[in-house]
Amino acid sequence: MELRAGQGWRVGWRKDQFYAGLVGAEDWATELTREEFKAFVDLFCQLHEQLQAIAPELMAEEMITLTGRNDAVHLELEGYPHAYSLHLIVLGDRRVEGTWPAPVPPDFLLACCELQHRIAEGQSLE
């Protein structure tokens, strides 16, 4: 398994497993199917990009909440462009919820995106 971790977050991948992905914080983690992992990363990136796009329009003390949903996951990003929390609900045949408190470290988003890119490119992860 390839596992990356930082302060307050974990993300991992185990090829050839039904629950191939792993996401978590310091005190919780859940395994995700390939489809759930891709849906999570795609939506996380989309919400982060939306927040950065509207950041110049927000006042310094103004908080914002952005939500997104697809067939696999529901995400809620809440806070400021530079410091937000992220709440995950896994949909489907099982229900899983977890939260990364503010500030979600930028290296968590980067690690998720890099891992997904390597998976999509078929690069060896082990």
Side-chain angles (χ1 to χ4, degrees):
M1 168 178 246
E2 177 166 332
L3 182 65
R4 298 179 185 184
Q7 187 170 359
W9 64 270
R10 299 181 266 174
V11 62
W13 186 260
R14 242 185 343 199
K15 66 179 184 175
D16 302 326
Q17 299 288 318
F18 181 74
Y19 291 106
L22 178 131
V23 295
E26 287 184 15
D27 58 352
W28 68 270
T30 189
E31 294 177 317
L32 302 174
T33 65
R34 287 172 167 73
E35 295 78 21
E36 290 168 343
F37 184 80
K38 181 178 182 337
F40 167 74
V41 176
D42 288 347
L43 197 51
F44 185 15
C45 292
Q46 179 185 355
L47 291 176
H48 177 80
E49 288 171 5
Q50 287 176 2
L51 180 61
Q52 298 312 307
I54 63 173
E57 300 173 28
L58 300 173
M59 296 190 308
E61 66 278 357
E62 191 173 5
M63 291 181 68
I64 191 163
T65 301
L66 298 174
T67 60
R69 182 185 190 111
N70 54 39
D71 291 340
V73 297
H74 173 92
L75 291 180
E76 181 176 281
L77 184 150
E78 183 175 26
Y80 306 97
H82 63 281
Y84 56 82
S85 64
L86 181 68
H87 185 75
L88 162 71
I89 301 174
V90 177
L91 309 171
D93 64 344
R94 70 198 195 296
R95 299 286 188 206
V96 175
E97 288 192 47
T99 299
W100 292 269
V104 172
D107 52 342
F108 175 52
L109 177 63
L110 182 61
C112 289
C113 294
E114 286 177 351
L115 189 57
Q116 181 167 290
H117 177 74
R118 289 179 58 200
I119 294 163
E121 295 291 316
Q123 296 178 19
S124 174
L125 298 177
E126 300 181 284

